[in-house]
Amino acid sequence: MLAMVKWYISSLNASFSSRVPEGEWEKKPYNPVLGEQYFMTWGDVEGSGETDVTCEQVSHHPPITGFYIHNEKAGISLNGHNGQKTRFSSTSLICEQVGQSLLTLHKRDNESYFLTSPPLTVNGIWYAAPYIELTGNAYIQSTTGFYATIEFSSRGWISGEKNHFKCYIRKNAGNPKEYLYKVEGQWSGKSTITPYGTKQSSPFIDVKEGEVASMKDKELEEQGDMESRRIWQKVSEAIRAGDTQTASVEKSKIENKQRAERKEREEQGAQWVPKYFTWEANHPTIFSLQRMLASALKNKYDPPNAGNWVYKQE
């Protein structure tokens, strides 16, 4: 579980912090079209083997992305889905990250970890300098009988630390008031670990250390028509050239094509089916781990469903 928490925290930094260059702000993302696909590979790091990534937009209303990440050499896979429910507060955009995922260690008798994602807040919108902060809670539940609760907090007006988190690791069969370890720090920087019953902390992880895996994807001309860079090629080129008018025109072409295809399906009574993922409404492993977590957390965790967009194995 400690290794799992390390990976989880480092993945947050990669997803929400390190991808934004120093001195720059968040950019408004494209709105993925139904069936849009993305493939890439992370290169080998210290003999870990390559890691392949498959993503597909499995729903447009609401927006949901299915993903499958697999490292054959290490015997690890991560399969899940992610979507967003957004609302505005006075000065921020609040985004609830709906969805869940399952990480499986295939060489350890399919040892599995159920993961949720924390809500995020986009601040600085009205100042044209948007940035992301994580808030609320996220959870990790393993088939080995351990679970982790992770609490995120943002920096206040007067005090507080940017990108702060506090994580407690406990046994499902143990006293919920006691914990095995407490991990605390910045998910975009350094954190420490403290065993229960002591005040002695030691370094846990510095997410800015270590080698970053290289990213590889196919050349543009080798990509399929539904792959992200092909779909948004002309829009991206216009944005880079500072031609907002052409970018708007090309974006409208993509959206109108999607509307026409949706209308044609409705007229034919056809249902769109994802190419790489299928919905499993009651995934047995997710259902089991959710029950374990809900039992430990009592009224603090109430999953909306036990489903997952499962990758179609070839």
Side-chain angles (χ1 to χ4, degrees):
M1 178 60 82
L2 287 174
M4 185 69 213
V5 172
K6 277 188 177 182
W7 170 81
Y8 187 89
I9 297 302
S10 67
S11 73
L12 296 177
N13 176 64
S15 298
F16 302 113
S17 180
S18 65
R19 63 183 175 83
V20 181
E22 188 73 25
E24 295 188 18
W25 305 102
E26 289 288 340
K27 305 293 192 300
K28 182 181 182 299
Y30 294 139
N31 186 16
V33 303
L34 185 65
E36 183 173 334
Q37 303 159 7
Y38 180 69
F39 307 95
M40 58 83 66
T41 298
W42 278 303
D44 181 283
V45 175
E46 298 179 355
S48 63
E50 293 188 334
T51 303
D52 297 315
V53 178
T54 299
C55 300
E56 182 177 17
Q57 194 70 8
V58 296
S59 173
H60 190 65
H61 296 293
I64 298 174
T65 304
F67 57 86
Y68 181 73
I69 303 173
H70 178 234
N71 185 310
E72 185 174 357
K73 181 177 181 180
I76 299 175
S77 67
L78 177 66
N79 188 180
H81 63 283
N82 182 266
Q84 298 79 36
K85 291 183 179 180
T86 58
R87 58 185 172 88
F88 278 97
S89 67
S90 56
T91 59
S92 305
L93 175 67
I94 300 173
C95 177
E96 297 288 339
Q97 297 196 84
V98 298
Q100 49 217 12
S101 57
L102 190 68
L103 186 143
T104 305
L105 305 179
H106 300 281
K107 294 184 178 181
R108 294 177 58 124
D109 197 26
N110 288 332
E111 181 179 314
S112 299
Y113 293 80
F114 169 74
L115 314 169
T116 70
S117 299
L120 59 87
T121 301
V122 183
N123 296 313
I125 296 175
W126 308 120
Y127 307 102
Y131 62 94
I132 287 177
E133 288 189 318
L134 302 182
T135 58
N137 300 315
Y139 305 104
I140 305 174
Q141 174 66 61
S142 76
T143 52
T144 58
F146 297 92
Y147 69 98
T149 58
I150 310 173
E151 306 166 5
F152 298 90
S153 58
S154 58
R155 180 170 51 193
W157 289 100
I158 300 175
S159 62
E161 181 181 52
K162 178 183 178 182
N163 299 339
H164 185 82
F165 80 94
K166 187 183 294 183
C167 171
Y168 293 95
I169 299 173
R170 297 179 171 92
K171 283 185 177 181
N172 286 88
N175 185 342
K177 295 182 179 181
E178 299 178 356
Y179 57 85
L180 299 175
Y181 299 99
K182 179 179 73 172
V183 181
E184 187 170 11
Q186 288 181 293
W187 53 263
S188 58
K190 298 179 180 180
S191 54
T192 60
I193 183 170
T194 308
Y196 178 75
T198 74
K199 296 183 179 179
Q200 187 66 38
S201 299
S202 58
F204 184 65
I205 185 174
D206 182 349
V207 297
K208 296 181 180 180
E209 292 184 345
E211 182 181 350
V212 178
S214 60
M215 291 178 60
K216 299 184 292 184
D217 52 13
K218 294 180 292 185
E219 295 296 330
L220 191 59
E221 58 271 15
E222 298 175 354
Q223 296 185 15
D225 291 340
M226 291 306 296
E227 293 192 46
S228 295
R229 288 176 61 200
R230 281 288 295 274
I231 291 174
W232 299 99
Q233 177 185 2
K234 293 182 179 180
V235 179
S236 298
E237 289 173 348
I239 290 175
R240 284 193 288 266
D243 187 349
T244 56
Q245 182 176 356
T246 299
S248 179
V249 170
E250 294 298 334
K251 179 173 178 288
S252 294
K253 289 180 181 178
I254 295 170
E255 294 170 343
N256 290 337
K257 182 175 182 291
Q258 283 284 297
R259 294 189 187 101
E261 290 174 352
R262 182 171 66 248
K263 182 179 179 181
E264 183 179 358
R265 287 194 299 271
E266 291 173 351
E267 291 174 349
Q268 296 176 353
Q271 184 176 5
W272 180 82
V273 178
K275 182 175 181 179
Y276 294 99
F277 296 87
T278 184
W279 175 249
E280 190 169 337
N282 192 16
H283 192 284
T285 305
I286 288 180
F287 177 72
S288 174
L289 292 174
Q290 283 181 335
R291 290 188 63 182
M292 291 173 66
L293 185 60
S295 176
L297 297 176
K298 307 303 180 186
N299 299 324
K300 296 181 180 180
Y301 174 68
D302 183 20
N305 60 67
N308 198 18
W309 281 96
V310 178
Y311 180 68
K312 298 177 183 179
Q313 300 287 346
E314 297 179 358

